[in-house]
Amino acid sequence: MEKIQLHHTLPAVFAGREDNHSEIWLQEVEFVRGKHYLISAESGTGKSSLCAYIYGYRVDYSGTFSFDGEDIRTLTIPQWCQIRKHHIAYLPQDLRLFPELSAMENIQLKNRLTHHKSNSEILAYFEQLGIPEKVNSPVSKLSIGQQQRVAIIRTLCQPADFILLDEPVSHLDATNNAIVAKMVTEEAARQGAGIISTSVGNNVSITVDKEFKL
């Protein structure tokens, strides 16, 4: 996948809105593989909706989302499975971890499907993020910041043309923000992947090629 394109898209809940100052909604937008993008927005402006549309979780919008010119509404379930396994790595804002499983078990649920990272690489991520002692801890026993770090590791355990991050550092301090930025940009560079990150304001440490105001 080389390009994600938006053509005059708008969440259904915003239908009829007249005072549109967004650089995303109702615009022509193109995300190119290998480039880094920041979607800066206030709460309630649709940044999580945008991510859900790109990932195919929701279809309550007007206009068109396309992958390399193909309308994503036409994609079949098997096609979406391949896209989510090989082409788009997604960190949702709500993390979607299984609380009864350990941190490592949550990560291995994905890595066993993709075989993208070795066990030693995953453990190295835990070390970098300052939570090596949490590898076998149930997610329910972790703080929200620790859970976010686990979810970030999981996101990086797959091949991808685009890494899609919805508020990836909302619960992290400046130190871990910088560590996450380094991990994500290094993984994107290894794969030649693009990065699309959302943020309330501009608190993401990733260097971007273009910023959009939502």
Side-chain angles (χ1 to χ4, degrees), residues 39-189:
I39 314 298
S40 180
E42 298 301 322
S43 297
T45 54
K47 57 188 180 302
S48 293
S49 297
L50 173 66
C51 294
Y53 297 152
I54 291 173
Y55 206 61
Y57 276 169
R58 290 172 51 187
V59 295
D60 55 320
Y61 61 86
S62 59
T64 306
F65 284 84
S66 299
F67 296 156
D68 294 337
E70 182 177 5
D71 187 340
I72 67 173
R73 291 184 188 272
T74 69
L75 297 174
T76 63
I77 292 175
Q79 285 176 311
W80 273 116
C81 290
Q82 289 301 306
I83 286 167
R84 293 168 182 167
K85 186 176 178 180
H86 298 289
H87 299 286
I88 300 178
Y90 178 36
L91 173 71
Q93 185 180 3
D94 60 5
L95 306 181
R96 296 181 187 171
L97 297 169
F98 292 93
E100 70 277 12
L101 300 181
S102 72
M104 180 61 86
E105 286 170 338
N106 269 277
I107 291 165
Q108 289 294 1
L109 283 175
K110 170 167 282 190
N111 201 55
R112 288 193 189 103
L113 293 174
T114 63
H115 306 288
H116 188 62
K117 296 291 182 183
S118 67
N119 195 60
S120 61
E121 287 175 310
I122 294 171
L123 291 174
Y125 278 152
F126 275 91
E127 288 281 354
Q128 289 178 55
L129 289 169
I131 50 172
E133 76 285 358
K134 302 299 183 182
V135 169
N136 296 312
S137 297
V139 163
S140 61
K141 302 296 184 181
L142 305 184
S143 70
I144 186 63
Q146 291 168 340
Q147 290 181 31
Q148 191 166 47
R149 281 174 270 178
V150 171
I152 288 164
I153 296 171
R154 181 192 59 191
T155 300
L156 299 180
C157 286
Q158 72 167 87
D161 299 319
F162 288 90
I163 301 174
L164 182 62
L165 308 169
D166 191 7
E167 294 201 43
V169 296
S170 56
H171 300 288
L172 302 184
D173 58 24
T175 298
N176 282 300
N177 184 336
I179 293 169
V180 167
K182 185 174 185 290
M183 288 169 54
V184 172
T185 53
E186 287 180 347
E187 183 63 27

